[in-house]
Each structure stands twice: as C-alpha cells, then as structure tokens.
Amino acid sequence: MDRGLVYGPSGKALDVYRCEGAAHRPVVLLWHGRGPDERDVLEPLARAVAERDVVVFVPDWRSDAPDGGRGHLWESAAFVRGNAGDFGGDAGRIVLAGWSMGGRAAAGVAVNGAAYGHWRPSAVVTIASGFDRPAPSTGGIPLDDLTTTTGEPVPFWLVHGSRDPIVDVRQARRFASALRERGWQAAVAEAETDHAGIVMTEYNPELGRCRAARSRHAIEAGRRAAQVIADAAWTSRTWTAPQESGV
C-alpha cells in the first residue's frame, strides 16, 4: 500500500492499494462520499477490492470546496490516468467507482464525458448513490444528462443496500432502467444492509463519521460490493450484464 501521495496542485492526497508484483492490472478510482477528506473510510472496501488483484486509488476530496469538489475529483482522475502504470495498473482499463455522492460524481462523468475532456472510464460502479441531483464532478444531473448524451455507452454496475435510509434503493433501480432505455448496459445488485454497511462500515455518532464495520451484515455486504467492483474491473473490456440478484 502507498499512503498519502499528493495527486495534484490542490495538495490533496490519495492512497493506493495493490497486491505485490501487480503488473498491467485493471484499475479502480474510488471516490468517497460527501464527508470532507474521508479516504480512510473506504479503506476496508479498497483492501477487499485490491485482494482481488485490482489496483485501487482512493483520493481525498471535499464537497464543501468552493467548486463543490470538482477540481479535486478532476485532479485525481488525471493523476490516475497519467500514473496508473507506475503502480502496476493498466491506464487503458480504469473503472470509476464511488460511494454515495462519490457514486453520483462517477455517474456524472460517464453520462457527461465532455465535462472531463471527453474522457470516459471503461465502466462505472455506483454504491448507494442517487442520480436526481447535481453531480459534483460535472454540475449536471445524471438522470437529465443521460437523456442528452451523445457519447458511447459505458457499462454500469449499481450496488445498493435494500435497507438504506439515506438514499432509497429505488434510486438505483430507476437509474438502471433509464440507462437500459437508452441502450446502456446496467446491472443492479442489492444487499440486505444500510448506507454505511454497503462499504463495509458503520456510522459512529461519537466520531461523526463511519468506521470499519463489526456487524456481520455490513462485512458480508461490503465483501460482495468489493466483488462487484472487481468483476467490473476485470470484465470491463468485454462486458456482459449479469443476471440480477441479491448480493
């Protein structure tokens, strides 16, 4: 693991999770949610994905920045695109993933490629995300941008907790349906857990943030979410929608 690497002019840092000796492995850029500079929250999930022979980059970013975090997100994507090979990754096979607001940011890039210089990831994985509000990555609403996009479709994997009280699972179902109506490939995987549990964490009110989960439902759901991300990374070049099921 490489911890605390500065990824751009903003001075923000990221962590890289990878297996020893990795070379030409698929890459995942994993964005955390609304909380400022919370890359550590996603450590349990990132480690689980890296164990599946994927190189995972997890950057800090701040949704409370003047631009809503757009600059941080863009810098992190530029860093990964330019430097993935130095960490054993394949820069031509980058999956963009995100939890909660981070997932909405990832979806925004895929459906509004012009906002990122027409760069698009090889696949997108959203985790406990909604799509009917502006994405911090682009400023556009993913559901609306999808209706006007002219770019090539990007395969989507939407992971969501069926007991999520913060972002209703119907958000994932609705967006997946909208993607399919436009001819995009999309699969929804649901787990019996909540908003924090889907990334193998639990909310600690004393800390005011999430920490590594102790509950069985969260650990199991997080591991399955990691498998979905790894599957998306390894099959992103020749993607076929799996049969939908609970995870």
Side-chain angles (χ1 to χ4, degrees), residues 224-245:
R224 291 301 185 95
Q227 188 62 56
V228 170
I229 296 171
D231 287 346
W234 277 105
T235 63
S236 57
R237 284 180 172 170
T238 55
W239 191 90
T240 301
Q243 183 177 0
E244 290 186 12
S245 65

Side-chain angles (χ1 to χ4, degrees), residues 18 56 64 80 114 138 154 158 184 195 218 233 237:
R18 53 179 172 154
V56 186
D64 60 355
V80 172
T138 64
V154 173
L158 301 95
W184 293 43
H195 194 71
R237 284 180 172 170

Side-chain angles (χ1 to χ4, degrees), residues 49-68:
V49 176
E51 289 171 358
R52 290 157 171 82
D53 213 12
V54 176
V55 181
V56 186
F57 294 81
V58 186
D60 275 337
W61 68 282
R62 298 187 68 100
S63 64
D64 60 355
D67 65 353

Side-chain angles (χ1 to χ4, degrees), residues 167-202:
V167 182
D168 195 287
V169 66
R170 287 174 292 184
Q171 287 265 3
R173 298 169 185 166
R174 178 186 177 194
F175 193 59
S177 295
L179 288 164
R180 295 182 191 123
E181 288 173 3
R182 296 283 298 179
W184 293 43
Q185 295 173 310
V188 179
E190 299 179 17
E192 287 290 328
T193 192
D194 55 22
H195 194 71
I198 199 67
V199 291
M200 213 181 304
T201 67
E202 55 192 24

Side-chain angles (χ1 to χ4, degrees), residues 16-217:
V16 187
Y17 301 81
R18 53 179 172 154
C19 294
E20 291 298 324
H24 303 293
R25 296 296 188 263
V27 173
V28 170
L29 172 56
L30 179 60
W31 286 335
H32 65 71
R34 180 186 300 274
D37 296 338
E38 287 193 342
R39 73 182 193 274
D40 60 298
V41 169
L42 293 182
E43 181 168 347
L45 179 64
R47 286 188 179 278
V49 176
E51 289 171 358
R52 290 157 171 82
D53 213 12
V54 176
V55 181
V56 186
F57 294 81
V58 186
D60 275 337
W61 68 282
R62 298 187 68 100
S63 64
D64 60 355
D67 65 353
R70 183 174 183 174
H72 301 152
L73 297 170
W74 168 244
E75 285 178 18
S76 70
F79 178 90
V80 172
R81 292 171 65 196
N83 298 280
D86 295 339
F87 299 92
D90 180 354
R93 183 163 40 162
I94 299 174
V95 170
L96 191 54
W99 173 49
S100 195
M101 183 181 284
R104 186 160 76 245
V109 173
V111 300
N112 187 357
Y116 272 46
H118 297 283
W119 173 75
R120 285 177 157 187
S122 56
V124 169
V125 181
T126 67
I127 309 166
S129 301
F131 308 96
D132 56 2
R133 291 191 291 172
S137 54
T138 64
I141 296 173
L143 268 171
D144 293 344
D145 287 345
L146 179 62
T147 65
T148 59
T149 187
T150 58
E152 288 296 317
V154 173
F156 267 77
W157 306 65
L158 301 95
V159 184
H160 216 107
S162 59
R163 295 191 279 112
D164 189 333
I166 296 175
V167 182
D168 195 287
V169 66
R170 287 174 292 184
Q171 287 265 3
R173 298 169 185 166
R174 178 186 177 194
F175 193 59
S177 295
L179 288 164
R180 295 182 191 123
E181 288 173 3
R182 296 283 298 179
W184 293 43
Q185 295 173 310
V188 179
E190 299 179 17
E192 287 290 328
T193 192
D194 55 22
H195 194 71
I198 199 67
V199 291
M200 213 181 304
T201 67
E202 55 192 24
Y203 183 72
N204 185 308
E206 295 181 359
L207 297 176
R209 60 193 288 123
C210 293
R211 66 180 182 185
R214 300 173 183 174
S215 57
R216 181 176 178 178
H217 73 86

